[in-house]
Structure formats: C-alpha cells, structure tokens
Amino acid sequence: MSAAESLEAHVRDLAVCERCPSMHRPAIVTKPVQSKVLLVGQAPGSREPVLGKPFAWTAGKTLFRWMGEATGLDEESFRQRVYIASVCRCYPGRNPKGGDRVPNETERASCRPWLEAEMRLLQPDLVIPIGKLAISQFMPVGKLVDVVGVTYSNVEWQGFKFDLLPLPHPSGASTWHRMEPGKLLTIQALDLLSAHPAILGLK
Ligand code: SF4
C-alpha cells in the first residue's frame, strides 16, 4: 500500500470510530493530505458534524484568517495542503453549565492513537496545536501567555520529533487573543509561523 493509500485508509477507519460512548458521532475527518504540517485542534463543535469538516464554523473563520495572514493561502488552499487533526474527533456535546463539554481524560486517551497513527503516516516537520487542551498534549502548559509566541524546536513526543508552534484557540468565546498580551503574542506566533520552512514549503 502506498503512503497516500495508507493515509486514505486511516481517514476512512477514523470516520467510523465508535470508541467513546458519550461522544456524538461521526468523527470529523480532514482531507487525507500528505502534509509535513499537522494542525491539532481541540474537538469539533455542533456545526462541524453538519458541515462535515473541521473548523467549519466561527472559530474556523478566525483560524483561516490567521492562516491566510501567515501563509498567504485561502481556506480551501490551506485545507488542501495541511492535515487537520484534533485531540478528540467527535463532538463532545453541550456542557450543562454552558458552552461545549471539554473531552474527558478517558476520551482524550481513546482518541490519542489516531493522532499517533497520523504522526507515523505523516512524519510532520511542524505541529501547530490550537488552544490549551491541544498544546497540553505535547508539553506542560501553565498559562497560555507562557507558551504562545515561541517555536519549540525538535520537540520529542511518543518517539517522533518535530517543531511545535502553539496558537491560542480562535473561538469567539475566548477573549485571550483579542486582549493584550494575547493579541501581541498571537501576532508574534503568526510571524514565526509565516517564516517556518514547513510553511514556506506549502506554496
Ligand atoms: S472521540 Fe475519537 S476515539 Fe472517541 S469515538 Fe470519536 S474518533 Fe473515536
């Protein structure tokens, strides 16, 4: 099986995963893009299952605006060149206290093998975790202010090595990236992203 066929098979298997009883299936999958850039979100929201792709709604609008500024690529071109994963691939449902439920540790652990498989299949040079939950899969995070605006070179994770460039979550519910110091740190991170060789290689 070629690398492209293996990735297509992986995405097909992922799309029908039923490991987590409390998650709202189906899993939201990306295009099987053989990319050296891997973007990792948190989990889909309620609109993504309807629209059938990750970052399909309001957070996506901000995310793809950021990515457009950093890469010069419009949303569709970015989706065709970057593999989009997430900590959990299914919509977790509503939190009774408001907003969407954050996936619990069991769900995160159940979904992690999909991400590990993607690391094996893609061998990415650059991983872009979006938001605290995604960043915390790769490194300890106290406050976002301590980790955004920096490229972490040659990070080791589960036997893989890559550069890690954390970004805040672009959710409309979050004000972090719209207020200082988050605003400046986000611009700093996007500047670093625009100059990274893996991003330059996308064009
Ligand atoms: S969250 Fe991940 S592990 Fe759980 S059912 Fe969805 S795809 Fe499978």
Side-chain angles (χ1 to χ4, degrees):
M1 202 185 278
S2 70
E5 287 167 340
S6 298
L7 190 61
E8 280 167 21
H10 166 83
V11 170
R12 275 199 304 276
D13 291 346
L14 171 54
V16 295
C17 177
E18 296 188 343
R19 279 179 208 157
C20 305
S22 300
M23 285 289 193
H24 296 243
R25 294 182 291 271
I28 304 305
V29 295
T30 191
K31 292 177 195 291
V33 184
Q34 200 78 44
S35 180
K36 286 293 174 190
V37 181
L38 174 63
L39 187 144
V40 184
Q42 175 173 300
S46 60
R47 300 291 185 141
E48 276 75 11
V50 179
L51 297 163
K53 56 186 177 183
F55 285 104
W57 202 240
T58 46
K61 284 194 176 35
T62 302
L63 177 72
F64 291 114
R65 179 170 56 74
W66 289 349
M67 293 302 121
E69 287 166 13
T71 67
L73 298 170
D74 62 23
E75 177 178 339
E76 200 41 46
S77 304
F78 188 86
R79 286 185 187 277
Q80 283 168 4
R81 289 168 175 78
V82 172
Y83 191 97
I84 302 179
S86 55
V87 175
C88 284
R89 314 303 170 101
C90 297
Y91 173 49
R94 298 289 292 170
N95 178 342
K97 293 180 181 161
D100 290 338
R101 184 173 69 80
V102 176
N104 62 38
E105 181 46 46
T106 305
E107 292 163 339
R108 300 200 292 262
S110 296
C111 218
R112 197 166 298 133
W114 293 115
L115 185 59
E116 289 168 2
E118 284 149 359
M119 290 284 180
R120 269 196 303 281
L121 290 162
L122 299 172
Q123 307 276 329
D125 293 330
L126 175 64
V127 175
I128 310 169
I130 306 288
K132 208 167 175 180
L133 188 76
I135 301 167
S136 69
Q137 304 306 298
F138 302 102
M139 61 188 290
V141 190
K143 293 179 179 168
L144 271 184
V145 75
D146 297 328
V147 297
V148 173
V150 180
T151 306
Y152 298 86
S153 301
N154 289 317
V155 167
E156 288 197 45
W157 184 81
Q158 312 278 347
F160 303 98
K161 248 189 191 180
F162 44 78
D163 292 349
L164 190 75
L165 210 164
L167 285 176
H169 201 284
S171 157
S174 165
T175 56
W176 192 90
H177 57 88
R178 287 184 264 129
M179 294 170 67
E180 300 299 357
K183 198 172 169 182
L184 189 62
L185 289 170
T186 303
I187 292 170
Q188 215 166 291
L190 293 175
D191 281 347
L192 290 170
L193 193 64
S194 67
H196 193 280
I199 292 294
L200 296 173
L202 292 176
K203 293 172 190 167

PDB file of all heavy atoms in Angstrom, residues 163-197:
ATOM      1  N   ASP A 163       8.972  20.396  15.141  1.00  0.00           N
ATOM      2  CA  ASP A 163       8.874  21.721  15.757  1.00  0.00           C
ATOM      3  C   ASP A 163       7.425  21.932  16.177  1.00  0.00           C
ATOM      4  O   ASP A 163       6.492  21.502  15.477  1.00  0.00           O
ATOM      5  CB  ASP A 163       9.282  22.814  14.758  1.00  0.00           C
ATOM      6  CG  ASP A 163      10.763  22.754  14.426  1.00  0.00           C
ATOM      7  OD1 ASP A 163      11.493  22.019  15.120  1.00  0.00           O
ATOM      8  OD2 ASP A 163      11.189  23.443  13.484  1.00  0.00           O
ATOM      9  N   LEU A 164       7.266  22.599  17.299  1.00  0.00           N
ATOM     10  CA  LEU A 164       5.927  22.825  17.854  1.00  0.00           C
ATOM     11  C   LEU A 164       5.691  24.333  17.948  1.00  0.00           C
ATOM     12  O   LEU A 164       6.494  25.047  18.541  1.00  0.00           O
ATOM     13  CB  LEU A 164       5.839  22.189  19.246  1.00  0.00           C
ATOM     14  CG  LEU A 164       4.457  22.118  19.877  1.00  0.00           C
ATOM     15  CD1 LEU A 164       3.621  21.016  19.227  1.00  0.00           C
ATOM     16  CD2 LEU A 164       4.569  21.829  21.376  1.00  0.00           C
ATOM     17  N   LEU A 165       4.596  24.777  17.339  1.00  0.00           N
ATOM     18  CA  LEU A 165       4.305  26.218  17.367  1.00  0.00           C
ATOM     19  C   LEU A 165       2.880  26.431  17.867  1.00  0.00           C
ATOM     20  O   LEU A 165       1.917  26.393  17.099  1.00  0.00           O
ATOM     21  CB  LEU A 165       4.497  26.777  15.941  1.00  0.00           C
ATOM     22  CG  LEU A 165       4.940  28.241  15.855  1.00  0.00           C
ATOM     23  CD1 LEU A 165       5.469  28.568  14.481  1.00  0.00           C
ATOM     24  CD2 LEU A 165       3.854  29.198  16.258  1.00  0.00           C
ATOM     25  N   PRO A 166       2.727  26.647  19.178  1.00  0.00           N
ATOM     26  CA  PRO A 166       1.378  26.742  19.760  1.00  0.00           C
ATOM     27  C   PRO A 166       0.668  28.042  19.393  1.00  0.00           C
ATOM     28  O   PRO A 166       1.284  29.106  19.324  1.00  0.00           O
ATOM     29  CB  PRO A 166       1.637  26.718  21.270  1.00  0.00           C
ATOM     30  CG  PRO A 166       3.056  26.289  21.451  1.00  0.00           C
ATOM     31  CD  PRO A 166       3.777  26.696  20.216  1.00  0.00           C
ATOM     32  N   LEU A 167      -0.637  27.916  19.185  1.00  0.00           N
ATOM     33  CA  LEU A 167      -1.501  29.091  18.963  1.00  0.00           C
ATOM     34  C   LEU A 167      -2.659  29.039  19.961  1.00  0.00           C
ATOM     35  O   LEU A 167      -3.038  27.952  20.413  1.00  0.00           O
ATOM     36  CB  LEU A 167      -2.067  29.067  17.545  1.00  0.00           C
ATOM     37  CG  LEU A 167      -1.114  29.439  16.398  1.00  0.00           C
ATOM     38  CD1 LEU A 167      -1.812  29.265  15.064  1.00  0.00           C
ATOM     39  CD2 LEU A 167      -0.610  30.864  16.551  1.00  0.00           C
ATOM     40  N   PRO A 168      -3.250  30.186  20.266  1.00  0.00           N
ATOM     41  CA  PRO A 168      -4.449  30.167  21.121  1.00  0.00           C
ATOM     42  C   PRO A 168      -5.638  29.636  20.330  1.00  0.00           C
ATOM     43  O   PRO A 168      -5.579  29.550  19.103  1.00  0.00           O
ATOM     44  CB  PRO A 168      -4.650  31.650  21.459  1.00  0.00           C
ATOM     45  CG  PRO A 168      -4.041  32.375  20.313  1.00  0.00           C
ATOM     46  CD  PRO A 168      -2.890  31.536  19.834  1.00  0.00           C
ATOM     47  N   HIS A 169      -6.718  29.291  21.046  1.00  0.00           N
ATOM     48  CA  HIS A 169      -7.906  28.852  20.321  1.00  0.00           C
ATOM     49  C   HIS A 169      -8.633  30.069  19.760  1.00  0.00           C
ATOM     50  O   HIS A 169      -8.820  31.067  20.457  1.00  0.00           O
ATOM     51  CB  HIS A 169      -8.837  28.043  21.233  1.00  0.00           C
ATOM     52  CG  HIS A 169      -9.759  27.179  20.436  1.00  0.00           C
ATOM     53  ND1 HIS A 169     -10.853  27.689  19.779  1.00  0.00           N
ATOM     54  CD2 HIS A 169      -9.711  25.865  20.130  1.00  0.00           C
ATOM     55  CE1 HIS A 169     -11.446  26.709  19.117  1.00  0.00           C
ATOM     56  NE2 HIS A 169     -10.775  25.586  19.311  1.00  0.00           N
ATOM     57  N   PRO A 170      -9.048  30.006  18.487  1.00  0.00           N
ATOM     58  CA  PRO A 170      -9.690  31.171  17.870  1.00  0.00           C
ATOM     59  C   PRO A 170     -11.182  31.281  18.163  1.00  0.00           C
ATOM     60  O   PRO A 170     -11.882  32.071  17.519  1.00  0.00           O
ATOM     61  CB  PRO A 170      -9.453  30.914  16.375  1.00  0.00           C
ATOM     62  CG  PRO A 170      -9.400  29.430  16.250  1.00  0.00           C
ATOM     63  CD  PRO A 170      -8.839  28.900  17.536  1.00  0.00           C
ATOM     64  N   SER A 171     -11.668  30.522  19.127  1.00  0.00           N
ATOM     65  CA  SER A 171     -13.091  30.540  19.455  1.00  0.00           C
ATOM     66  C   SER A 171     -13.578  31.953  19.780  1.00  0.00           C
ATOM     67  O   SER A 171     -12.883  32.723  20.462  1.00  0.00           O
ATOM     68  CB  SER A 171     -13.304  29.629  20.675  1.00  0.00           C
ATOM     69  OG  SER A 171     -14.478  30.004  21.347  1.00  0.00           O
ATOM     70  N   GLY A 172     -14.800  32.245  19.341  1.00  0.00           N
ATOM     71  CA  GLY A 172     -15.399  33.543  19.659  1.00  0.00           C
ATOM     72  C   GLY A 172     -15.636  33.685  21.152  1.00  0.00           C
ATOM     73  O   GLY A 172     -15.747  34.794  21.676  1.00  0.00           O
ATOM     74  N   ALA A 173     -15.726  32.540  21.860  1.00  0.00           N
ATOM     75  CA  ALA A 173     -15.962  32.584  23.303  1.00  0.00           C
ATOM     76  C   ALA A 173     -14.708  33.015  24.062  1.00  0.00           C
ATOM     77  O   ALA A 173     -14.772  33.377  25.231  1.00  0.00           O
ATOM     78  CB  ALA A 173     -16.411  31.212  23.790  1.00  0.00           C
ATOM     79  N   SER A 174     -13.555  32.953  23.395  1.00  0.00           N
ATOM     80  CA  SER A 174     -12.309  33.311  24.075  1.00  0.00           C
ATOM     81  C   SER A 174     -11.915  34.751  23.742  1.00  0.00           C
ATOM     82  O   SER A 174     -11.962  35.172  22.588  1.00  0.00           O
ATOM     83  CB  SER A 174     -11.193  32.361  23.621  1.00  0.00           C
ATOM     84  OG  SER A 174      -9.936  32.880  23.988  1.00  0.00           O
ATOM     85  N   THR A 175     -11.513  35.482  24.774  1.00  0.00           N
ATOM     86  CA  THR A 175     -11.058  36.862  24.536  1.00  0.00           C
ATOM     87  C   THR A 175      -9.534  36.935  24.563  1.00  0.00           C
ATOM     88  O   THR A 175      -8.966  37.985  24.308  1.00  0.00           O
ATOM     89  CB  THR A 175     -11.620  37.811  25.613  1.00  0.00           C
ATOM     90  OG1 THR A 175     -11.236  37.300  26.901  1.00  0.00           O
ATOM     91  CG2 THR A 175     -13.133  37.923  25.533  1.00  0.00           C
ATOM     92  N   TRP A 176      -8.886  35.820  24.861  1.00  0.00           N
ATOM     93  CA  TRP A 176      -7.437  35.824  25.093  1.00  0.00           C
ATOM     94  C   TRP A 176      -6.670  36.451  23.926  1.00  0.00           C
ATOM     95  O   TRP A 176      -5.782  37.278  24.129  1.00  0.00           O
ATOM     96  CB  TRP A 176      -6.937  34.397  25.352  1.00  0.00           C
ATOM     97  CG  TRP A 176      -5.529  34.371  25.872  1.00  0.00           C
ATOM     98  CD1 TRP A 176      -5.138  34.418  27.176  1.00  0.00           C
ATOM     99  CD2 TRP A 176      -4.321  34.320  25.098  1.00  0.00           C
ATOM    100  NE1 TRP A 176      -3.765  34.401  27.257  1.00  0.00           N
ATOM    101  CE2 TRP A 176      -3.250  34.342  26.006  1.00  0.00           C
ATOM    102  CE3 TRP A 176      -4.048  34.256  23.728  1.00  0.00           C
ATOM    103  CZ2 TRP A 176      -1.916  34.305  25.586  1.00  0.00           C
ATOM    104  CZ3 TRP A 176      -2.716  34.227  23.318  1.00  0.00           C
ATOM    105  CH2 TRP A 176      -1.671  34.247  24.234  1.00  0.00           C
ATOM    106  N   HIS A 177      -7.033  36.047  22.717  1.00  0.00           N
ATOM    107  CA  HIS A 177      -6.273  36.506  21.545  1.00  0.00           C
ATOM    108  C   HIS A 177      -6.682  37.905  21.082  1.00  0.00           C
ATOM    109  O   HIS A 177      -6.114  38.440  20.140  1.00  0.00           O
ATOM    110  CB  HIS A 177      -6.427  35.502  20.392  1.00  0.00           C
ATOM    111  CG  HIS A 177      -7.843  35.261  19.990  1.00  0.00           C
ATOM    112  ND1 HIS A 177      -8.508  36.034  19.058  1.00  0.00           N
ATOM    113  CD2 HIS A 177      -8.750  34.346  20.400  1.00  0.00           C
ATOM    114  CE1 HIS A 177      -9.738  35.599  18.915  1.00  0.00           C
ATOM    115  NE2 HIS A 177      -9.917  34.575  19.729  1.00  0.00           N
ATOM    116  N   ARG A 178      -7.693  38.470  21.780  1.00  0.00           N
ATOM    117  CA  ARG A 178      -8.152  39.812  21.380  1.00  0.00           C
ATOM    118  C   ARG A 178      -7.709  40.878  22.374  1.00  0.00           C
ATOM    119  O   ARG A 178      -7.956  42.055  22.180  1.00  0.00           O
ATOM    120  CB  ARG A 178      -9.676  39.814  21.235  1.00  0.00           C
ATOM    121  CG  ARG A 178     -10.115  39.064  19.969  1.00  0.00           C
ATOM    122  CD  ARG A 178     -11.599  39.116  19.740  1.00  0.00           C
ATOM    123  NE  ARG A 178     -12.252  37.941  20.264  1.00  0.00           N
ATOM    124  CZ  ARG A 178     -13.297  37.956  21.078  1.00  0.00           C
ATOM    125  NH1 ARG A 178     -13.811  39.088  21.464  1.00  0.00           N
ATOM    126  NH2 ARG A 178     -13.827  36.827  21.497  1.00  0.00           N
ATOM    127  N   MET A 179      -7.119  40.455  23.490  1.00  0.00           N
ATOM    128  CA  MET A 179      -6.671  41.407  24.523  1.00  0.00           C
ATOM    129  C   MET A 179      -5.179  41.207  24.786  1.00  0.00           C
ATOM    130  O   MET A 179      -4.672  40.102  24.672  1.00  0.00           O
ATOM    131  CB  MET A 179      -7.450  41.148  25.825  1.00  0.00           C
ATOM    132  CG  MET A 179      -8.932  41.449  25.680  1.00  0.00           C
ATOM    133  SD  MET A 179      -9.851  40.871  27.099  1.00  0.00           S
ATOM    134  CE  MET A 179      -9.228  41.944  28.359  1.00  0.00           C
ATOM    135  N   GLU A 180      -4.520  42.293  25.160  1.00  0.00           N
ATOM    136  CA  GLU A 180      -3.089  42.168  25.488  1.00  0.00           C
ATOM    137  C   GLU A 180      -2.899  41.421  26.798  1.00  0.00           C
ATOM    138  O   GLU A 180      -3.740  41.539  27.682  1.00  0.00           O
ATOM    139  CB  GLU A 180      -2.441  43.555  25.571  1.00  0.00           C
ATOM    140  CG  GLU A 180      -2.527  44.337  24.268  1.00  0.00           C
ATOM    141  CD  GLU A 180      -1.827  43.656  23.080  1.00  0.00           C
ATOM    142  OE1 GLU A 180      -1.205  42.589  23.252  1.00  0.00           O
ATOM    143  OE2 GLU A 180      -1.942  44.175  21.978  1.00  0.00           O
ATOM    144  N   PRO A 181      -1.839  40.608  26.939  1.00  0.00           N
ATOM    145  CA  PRO A 181      -0.751  40.425  25.971  1.00  0.00           C
ATOM    146  C   PRO A 181      -1.032  39.383  24.884  1.00  0.00           C
ATOM    147  O   PRO A 181      -0.211  39.162  24.013  1.00  0.00           O
ATOM    148  CB  PRO A 181       0.411  39.960  26.845  1.00  0.00           C
ATOM    149  CG  PRO A 181      -0.274  39.165  27.932  1.00  0.00           C
ATOM    150  CD  PRO A 181      -1.600  39.840  28.184  1.00  0.00           C
ATOM    151  N   GLY A 182      -2.237  38.743  24.938  1.00  0.00           N
ATOM    152  CA  GLY A 182      -2.535  37.669  23.995  1.00  0.00           C
ATOM    153  C   GLY A 182      -2.520  38.127  22.538  1.00  0.00           C
ATOM    154  O   GLY A 182      -2.067  37.395  21.645  1.00  0.00           O
ATOM    155  N   LYS A 183      -3.006  39.372  22.326  1.00  0.00           N
ATOM    156  CA  LYS A 183      -3.075  39.895  20.959  1.00  0.00           C
ATOM    157  C   LYS A 183      -1.672  39.963  20.336  1.00  0.00           C
ATOM    158  O   LYS A 183      -1.441  39.475  19.225  1.00  0.00           O
ATOM    159  CB  LYS A 183      -3.700  41.283  21.032  1.00  0.00           C
ATOM    160  CG  LYS A 183      -4.231  41.815  19.748  1.00  0.00           C
ATOM    161  CD  LYS A 183      -4.993  43.101  20.048  1.00  0.00           C
ATOM    162  CE  LYS A 183      -5.328  43.831  18.771  1.00  0.00           C
ATOM    163  NZ  LYS A 183      -6.011  45.091  19.044  1.00  0.00           N
ATOM    164  N   LEU A 184      -0.754  40.522  21.095  1.00  0.00           N
ATOM    165  CA  LEU A 184       0.621  40.674  20.602  1.00  0.00           C
ATOM    166  C   LEU A 184       1.299  39.304  20.446  1.00  0.00           C
ATOM    167  O   LEU A 184       2.003  39.054  19.453  1.00  0.00           O
ATOM    168  CB  LEU A 184       1.415  41.556  21.573  1.00  0.00           C
ATOM    169  CG  LEU A 184       2.805  41.972  21.085  1.00  0.00           C
ATOM    170  CD1 LEU A 184       2.705  42.810  19.806  1.00  0.00           C
ATOM    171  CD2 LEU A 184       3.508  42.776  22.166  1.00  0.00           C
ATOM    172  N   LEU A 185       1.080  38.420  21.406  1.00  0.00           N
ATOM    173  CA  LEU A 185       1.710  37.093  21.349  1.00  0.00           C
ATOM    174  C   LEU A 185       1.173  36.281  20.162  1.00  0.00           C
ATOM    175  O   LEU A 185       1.903  35.510  19.543  1.00  0.00           O
ATOM    176  CB  LEU A 185       1.474  36.334  22.663  1.00  0.00           C
ATOM    177  CG  LEU A 185       2.250  36.884  23.859  1.00  0.00           C
ATOM    178  CD1 LEU A 185       1.777  36.245  25.155  1.00  0.00           C
ATOM    179  CD2 LEU A 185       3.753  36.662  23.681  1.00  0.00           C
ATOM    180  N   THR A 186      -0.114  36.483  19.844  1.00  0.00           N
ATOM    181  CA  THR A 186      -0.687  35.786  18.688  1.00  0.00           C
ATOM    182  C   THR A 186      -0.034  36.294  17.397  1.00  0.00           C
ATOM    183  O   THR A 186       0.325  35.494  16.515  1.00  0.00           O
ATOM    184  CB  THR A 186      -2.216  35.989  18.645  1.00  0.00           C
ATOM    185  OG1 THR A 186      -2.764  35.536  19.880  1.00  0.00           O
ATOM    186  CG2 THR A 186      -2.854  35.216  17.495  1.00  0.00           C
ATOM    187  N   ILE A 187       0.139  37.602  17.297  1.00  0.00           N
ATOM    188  CA  ILE A 187       0.810  38.174  16.113  1.00  0.00           C
ATOM    189  C   ILE A 187       2.237  37.632  16.018  1.00  0.00           C
ATOM    190  O   ILE A 187       2.706  37.236  14.949  1.00  0.00           O
ATOM    191  CB  ILE A 187       0.805  39.722  16.198  1.00  0.00           C
ATOM    192  CG1 ILE A 187      -0.622  40.244  16.055  1.00  0.00           C
ATOM    193  CG2 ILE A 187       1.712  40.339  15.126  1.00  0.00           C
ATOM    194  CD1 ILE A 187      -0.792  41.721  16.359  1.00  0.00           C
ATOM    195  N   GLN A 188       2.909  37.581  17.169  1.00  0.00           N
ATOM    196  CA  GLN A 188       4.284  37.044  17.217  1.00  0.00           C
ATOM    197  C   GLN A 188       4.320  35.596  16.719  1.00  0.00           C
ATOM    198  O   GLN A 188       5.185  35.213  15.937  1.00  0.00           O
ATOM    199  CB  GLN A 188       4.745  37.086  18.670  1.00  0.00           C
ATOM    200  CG  GLN A 188       6.202  37.387  18.864  1.00  0.00           C
ATOM    201  CD  GLN A 188       6.437  37.726  20.334  1.00  0.00           C
ATOM    202  OE1 GLN A 188       5.994  38.765  20.825  1.00  0.00           O
ATOM    203  NE2 GLN A 188       7.101  36.843  21.042  1.00  0.00           N
ATOM    204  N   ALA A 189       3.355  34.800  17.189  1.00  0.00           N
ATOM    205  CA  ALA A 189       3.301  33.382  16.781  1.00  0.00           C
ATOM    206  C   ALA A 189       3.032  33.259  15.281  1.00  0.00           C
ATOM    207  O   ALA A 189       3.630  32.421  14.600  1.00  0.00           O
ATOM    208  CB  ALA A 189       2.217  32.651  17.579  1.00  0.00           C
ATOM    209  N   LEU A 190       2.146  34.106  14.751  1.00  0.00           N
ATOM    210  CA  LEU A 190       1.838  34.041  13.320  1.00  0.00           C
ATOM    211  C   LEU A 190       3.038  34.488  12.479  1.00  0.00           C
ATOM    212  O   LEU A 190       3.271  33.956  11.389  1.00  0.00           O
ATOM    213  CB  LEU A 190       0.596  34.885  12.999  1.00  0.00           C
ATOM    214  CG  LEU A 190      -0.714  34.352  13.606  1.00  0.00           C
ATOM    215  CD1 LEU A 190      -1.861  35.317  13.340  1.00  0.00           C
ATOM    216  CD2 LEU A 190      -1.053  32.959  13.085  1.00  0.00           C
ATOM    217  N   ASP A 191       3.812  35.432  13.001  1.00  0.00           N
ATOM    218  CA  ASP A 191       5.044  35.840  12.306  1.00  0.00           C
ATOM    219  C   ASP A 191       6.021  34.668  12.242  1.00  0.00           C
ATOM    220  O   ASP A 191       6.641  34.413  11.205  1.00  0.00           O
ATOM    221  CB  ASP A 191       5.717  37.014  13.042  1.00  0.00           C
ATOM    222  CG  ASP A 191       5.039  38.337  12.722  1.00  0.00           C
ATOM    223  OD1 ASP A 191       4.229  38.383  11.774  1.00  0.00           O
ATOM    224  OD2 ASP A 191       5.300  39.319  13.446  1.00  0.00           O
ATOM    225  N   LEU A 192       6.155  33.971  13.365  1.00  0.00           N
ATOM    226  CA  LEU A 192       7.051  32.800  13.393  1.00  0.00           C
ATOM    227  C   LEU A 192       6.559  31.729  12.424  1.00  0.00           C
ATOM    228  O   LEU A 192       7.338  31.101  11.711  1.00  0.00           O
ATOM    229  CB  LEU A 192       7.119  32.216  14.813  1.00  0.00           C
ATOM    230  CG  LEU A 192       7.856  33.057  15.851  1.00  0.00           C
ATOM    231  CD1 LEU A 192       7.642  32.490  17.248  1.00  0.00           C
ATOM    232  CD2 LEU A 192       9.347  33.118  15.526  1.00  0.00           C
ATOM    233  N   LEU A 193       5.244  31.558  12.419  1.00  0.00           N
ATOM    234  CA  LEU A 193       4.649  30.551  11.524  1.00  0.00           C
ATOM    235  C   LEU A 193       4.966  30.886  10.063  1.00  0.00           C
ATOM    236  O   LEU A 193       5.356  30.010   9.290  1.00  0.00           O
ATOM    237  CB  LEU A 193       3.130  30.541  11.760  1.00  0.00           C
ATOM    238  CG  LEU A 193       2.341  29.383  11.177  1.00  0.00           C
ATOM    239  CD1 LEU A 193       2.768  28.081  11.820  1.00  0.00           C
ATOM    240  CD2 LEU A 193       0.847  29.595  11.400  1.00  0.00           C
ATOM    241  N   SER A 194       4.807  32.156   9.706  1.00  0.00           N
ATOM    242  CA  SER A 194       4.988  32.545   8.303  1.00  0.00           C
ATOM    243  C   SER A 194       6.423  32.288   7.825  1.00  0.00           C
ATOM    244  O   SER A 194       6.646  32.084   6.644  1.00  0.00           O
ATOM    245  CB  SER A 194       4.616  34.010   8.095  1.00  0.00           C
ATOM    246  OG  SER A 194       5.533  34.828   8.773  1.00  0.00           O
ATOM    247  N   ALA A 195       7.375  32.281   8.770  1.00  0.00           N
ATOM    248  CA  ALA A 195       8.783  32.112   8.384  1.00  0.00           C
ATOM    249  C   ALA A 195       9.261  30.664   8.524  1.00  0.00           C
ATOM    250  O   ALA A 195      10.406  30.351   8.178  1.00  0.00           O
ATOM    251  CB  ALA A 195       9.654  33.018   9.257  1.00  0.00           C
ATOM    252  N   HIS A 196       8.415  29.768   9.031  1.00  0.00           N
ATOM    253  CA  HIS A 196       8.870  28.394   9.259  1.00  0.00           C
ATOM    254  C   HIS A 196       9.043  27.674   7.911  1.00  0.00           C
ATOM    255  O   HIS A 196       8.183  27.767   7.038  1.00  0.00           O
ATOM    256  CB  HIS A 196       7.876  27.623  10.139  1.00  0.00           C
ATOM    257  CG  HIS A 196       8.435  26.353  10.643  1.00  0.00           C
ATOM    258  ND1 HIS A 196       8.501  25.208   9.878  1.00  0.00           N
ATOM    259  CD2 HIS A 196       9.016  26.031  11.830  1.00  0.00           C
ATOM    260  CE1 HIS A 196       9.064  24.244  10.569  1.00  0.00           C
ATOM    261  NE2 HIS A 196       9.390  24.717  11.765  1.00  0.00           N
ATOM    262  N   PRO A 197      10.150  26.933   7.744  1.00  0.00           N
ATOM    263  CA  PRO A 197      10.405  26.258   6.455  1.00  0.00           C
ATOM    264  C   PRO A 197       9.258  25.337   6.012  1.00  0.00           C
ATOM    265  O   PRO A 197       8.974  25.250   4.814  1.00  0.00           O
ATOM    266  CB  PRO A 197      11.674  25.449   6.722  1.00  0.00           C
ATOM    267  CG  PRO A 197      12.336  26.125   7.876  1.00  0.00           C
ATOM    268  CD  PRO A 197      11.255  26.768   8.697  1.00  0.00           C
TER     269      PRO A 197
END
